[in-house]
Amino acid sequence: MNTTYYDHGTPAERWERAGMFFDAKDYAAAARVLGGLVEEVPEQTGPRLLLARSYYHSAQLRRAEEELRVIVERDPVEHYARLMLGRTLQRQGRDEEARPHLRIAAALGGSFDEE
């Protein structure tokens, strides 16, 4: 078995390692750790959301979008995933697609401001 630093340890240890990379703004390294963790526990939202955030901050916007769409499909009222999906789409210049996600996120967050 050939393991690397990124996939070594228990899921809890890898989760902690990913968080340290993320906090240190090494988003690409966090994504490397989280990619394997998400494959191992695909039903958990926390690792997938942090993976999406890592992709977003490292400008891997298509990958961020893919992960966020999985979360939103599974849990349509996941406020932060909706917000992140909207912002990810905006960064790609897809404002029309972003608008409904941002509106839903605002409503779920208790902000009902009209544009």
Side-chain angles (χ1 to χ4, degrees), residues 73-92:
E73 183 178 305
R74 289 181 183 170
D75 186 0
V77 296
E78 171 53 57
H79 165 258
Y80 193 69
R82 285 277 182 186
L83 177 63
M84 284 292 304
L85 180 55
R87 292 207 176 141
T88 299
L89 293 168
Q90 280 181 326
R91 277 186 69 185
Q92 295 177 70

Side-chain angles (χ1 to χ4, degrees), residues 1-11 13-14 17 21 29 32-37 40:
M1 181 171 170
N2 188 13
T3 62
T4 67
Y5 177 71
Y6 298 102
D7 58 9
H8 177 75
T10 66
E13 290 168 337
R14 287 180 281 144
R17 186 177 309 121
F21 280 128
R32 286 185 66 182
V33 175
L34 290 162
L37 192 57
E40 192 173 325

